[in-house]
Amino acid sequence: MRTEPLLAEADALLARGRAHNAERLLAPFVGREPENVGAWHRMARARLDLDDPAGALLAAQAAWHLDPYGAESLFWLSRSRSRLGDHAEAIAAAAAACREDPGNPRLHNRLAEAQLAAGLPTDAAEGLRCVVDLARYDADLHVTFGLALFAVGRPLSAREALGRALAIDFGHTGARAALKKFDRAMSTAIDAASLALAADEFAESLRIHPGQHGPRRPGPAREALGHVARVALVWFLAAIAGVGVLEATGLLTAPSSLYLSLFCAAGTAGCVSTLARPPR
């Protein structure tokens, strides 16, 4: 198989959240062509999406050994290290990537994420202060800047940063998730002392401790199950309402067992939908 079509297919699978399929596609390829740096990058991403940071680190290290000064190799090495709680190494790799490609906002964003995961929100906020002015078009960067600002006790500036992210990309899921986190954190802040405590707790929530892989992403099977359960719940509720209307108009006499079955089915669908929901 030619290299470019295979890597493009892996990219498409990863973009659709099918990391397992991407890993299965890439595994035999990197076995045949272990010198292909791009394939190792994608393998690292797939394994991170599958919540396998140790496997991702092996892939990232393979890429880094082949391309020790490549910004992309350093990026995936940093992400893998962060997920494993190896913060000094993660920050060093991200900083090296920024030196190799100083104009790339994605790399500065990775460095700030690594600093937040290490419990260094002040470093993250200071490091992004100038970068966000130069990369006003990058929504991800503004979201990370907002997280850092909130973690150092500047909630108004944090919301402004997220507002800029949403102005760039109105549907940005990271920005909207961050706003919900801000609201939860601020629900206990009534004065300066409680605001400082809320900021400290928020900063702690962003940290990744060694052995703690960080927020687990739901796999594609779990996402599909949740979607089916939500759709089924809507249909069961609609059926209950429809039977009720028909019975009220005299067009149908429904036995109580029908209602019981529909309510049980709706309850089951609701439970499955809740259990399949990604953790916050």
Side-chain angles (χ1 to χ4, degrees):
M1 182 179 293
R2 292 178 56 191
T3 300
E4 291 306 319
L6 183 141
L7 296 183
E9 184 179 353
D11 286 335
L13 290 169
L14 290 167
R16 295 200 300 269
R18 297 172 61 184
H20 181 70
N21 297 92
E23 185 188 37
R24 287 197 302 177
L25 175 70
L26 291 165
F29 179 74
V30 294
R32 293 192 306 270
E33 297 189 25
E35 74 286 353
N36 191 297
V37 176
W40 285 117
H41 293 161
R42 290 161 176 83
M43 180 67 85
R45 176 182 171 183
R47 288 175 174 170
L48 284 172
D49 287 352
L50 292 170
D51 196 30
D52 178 17
L57 178 60
L58 291 176
Q61 287 175 326
W64 178 70
H65 284 303
L66 293 166
D67 183 28
Y69 301 104
E72 190 71 10
S73 296
L74 290 164
F75 173 90
W76 291 110
L77 185 64
S78 176
R79 277 201 63 185
S80 302
R81 289 289 191 185
S82 282
R83 288 283 292 276
L84 287 167
D86 300 333
H87 298 304
E89 294 86 349
I91 291 171
C98 291
R99 290 193 296 271
E100 294 298 325
D101 188 3
N104 189 334
R106 177 168 169 263
L107 303 178
H108 291 281
N109 190 59
R110 169 84 288 270
L111 175 58
E113 289 177 336
Q115 291 165 333
L116 289 174
L120 302 171
T122 301
D123 292 351
E126 289 299 321
L128 289 181
R129 192 178 305 281
C130 295
V131 179
V132 293
D133 290 333
L134 297 174
R136 295 180 178 272
Y137 55 87
D138 193 296
D140 291 340
L141 202 65
H142 288 290
V143 172
T144 305
F145 188 40
L147 295 174
L149 288 171
F150 196 98
V152 298
R154 297 179 57 190
L156 295 180
S157 298
R159 287 184 180 276
E160 289 176 4
L162 294 186
R164 289 191 290 272
L166 291 172
I168 298 168
D169 179 2
F170 184 74
H172 196 285
T173 55
R176 297 197 172 278
L179 283 173
K180 292 180 180 178
K181 291 181 181 178
F182 289 177
D183 290 338
R184 288 196 297 270
M186 289 296 292
S187 63
T188 59
I190 56 176
D191 53 23
S194 57
L195 173 59
L197 180 60
D200 289 343
E201 290 177 348
F202 183 81
E204 181 63 25
S205 74
L206 300 176
R207 291 190 64 184
I208 298 176
H209 298 277
Q212 171 197 335
H213 294 171
R216 185 182 180 91
R217 290 185 53 173
R222 178 172 172 172
E223 291 179 341
L225 178 63
H227 175 72
V228 171
R230 288 190 293 271
V231 172
L233 177 60
V234 171
W235 280 106
F236 284 130
L237 292 176
I240 292 169
V243 170
V245 170
L246 290 173
E247 191 168 22
T249 57
L251 297 176
L252 175 69
T253 301
S256 58
S257 59
L258 177 59
Y259 281 107
L260 180 61
S261 298
L262 288 173
F263 276 114
C264 288
T268 301
C271 290
V272 172
S273 175
T274 300
L275 292 173
R277 186 177 302 161
R280 295 180 179 181

